[in-house]
Every structure is written in structure tokens, then in C-alpha cells.
Amino acid sequence: MEFITPDNGKSYNRCHFWSNFEIANLNFWRNSSYNAYFNHLDRAGGFFYERWGDAPVHTIAAVMFLKPEQIHFFNDIGYYHIPFTHCPIEDEFRQKCHCSPHDSFDWKDHSCTKRWFKTAGNKLPEHHAKYAG
């Protein structure tokens, strides 16, 4: 929960997974806990009146209902979604991308990627440190 809230759930810090790329087991979206969560949000009217998006809704659900080790950070797939870029850091993956890891949004101060690695108990790989600051 530390990834999405600084005060044990009283507020939301707006951290969420920004990738527009998800691979999920459909059983997760179909389970009773997720359905109760989704129905609660739907009844609150935020999808219609506030334009709540799928990224924060899915992130909050993943953080609440999955273990950190069940969430995978796809560093090896580059993408660009205006205005954000994710560029793989490892040379073996970057050879197929037209980007610079220095331009990657993941390691900018206003990104939550470093926060995810810290709060999920995942150690940031050493070769990421030079980009993560």
C-alpha cells in the first residue's frame, strides 16, 4: 500500500503503473474481490463524472489484491505514449529500440517507478542506478 498512499490509505498519491501495456490473468479481473471493488467505484460515479482511468483503477486493485512478486515490471519492452517514454536499459533489449535510457520517464523525479521498487521490496538492478539517480 505504501506505493499508492503516504498515510495508510487516507489519501492517494496518484502513483500508478503508466505503461498502456498489461498482461493479466483474467481470473484476477473476474474474482469477487475485484468485482466488489469495481462495482463500488462504478456506483460512486467516478468513471462517468470524474473520468477515472484504467491505469489508476488497475494499479490500486493490483496493490490491494496481489503480492508484489505477482507484479512484473516489463523493462525489456520499449514504448512511447505522449509525453512519456520507456526505454529499456539493458543493451540486449535497447538494440531494437530507437530511444535513449536517459529520456526514459521511469527514472525522472516525478515518476513513481523508483517508489515501486522501494516499496515492493524489489532491489533496483545496479545498471539502473546511473539512470535512477
Side-chain angles (χ1 to χ4, degrees):
M1 290 296 285
E2 292 173 32
F3 175 62
I4 59 171
T5 179
D7 50 19
N8 210 23
K10 294 177 186 167
S11 66
Y12 172 48
N13 64 12
R14 297 185 184 194
C15 280
H16 58 278
F17 303 121
W18 271 88
S19 71
N20 292 330
F21 176 79
E22 293 179 18
I23 296 176
N25 182 327
L26 291 177
N27 290 331
F28 176 73
W29 309 120
R30 294 174 179 153
N31 78 48
S32 59
S33 297
Y34 180 81
N35 278 292
Y37 162 73
F38 184 88
N39 288 331
H40 169 76
L41 295 178
D42 190 31
R43 283 191 297 276
F47 293 115
F48 183 77
Y49 294 108
E50 304 294 333
R51 199 189 168 278
W52 291 340
D54 61 318
V57 170
H58 289 174
T59 300
I60 293 168
V63 168
M64 289 192 315
F65 304 127
L66 296 174
K67 297 174 186 165
E69 59 270 15
Q70 292 177 290
I71 300 171
H72 179 74
F73 177 74
F74 284 93
N75 185 49
D76 52 342
I77 299 172
Y79 69 90
Y80 176 68
H81 183 272
I82 298 171
F84 304 114
T85 297
H86 167 74
C87 188
I89 291 173
E90 291 85 358
D91 288 334
E92 66 185 288
F93 301 120
R94 203 172 64 244
Q95 291 173 3
K96 296 180 181 179
C97 292
H98 300 284
C99 62
S100 168
H102 294 285
D103 296 331
S104 192
F105 172 73
D106 301 318
W107 315 115
K108 306 291 184 203
D109 287 339
H110 54 286
S111 169
C112 293
T113 304
K114 288 188 282 187
R115 182 180 185 85
W116 166 251
F117 276 93
K118 179 182 175 188
T119 60
N122 297 322
K123 186 176 183 219
L124 191 64
E126 280 185 40
H127 55 281
H128 289 216
K130 67 180 177 181
Y131 300 103

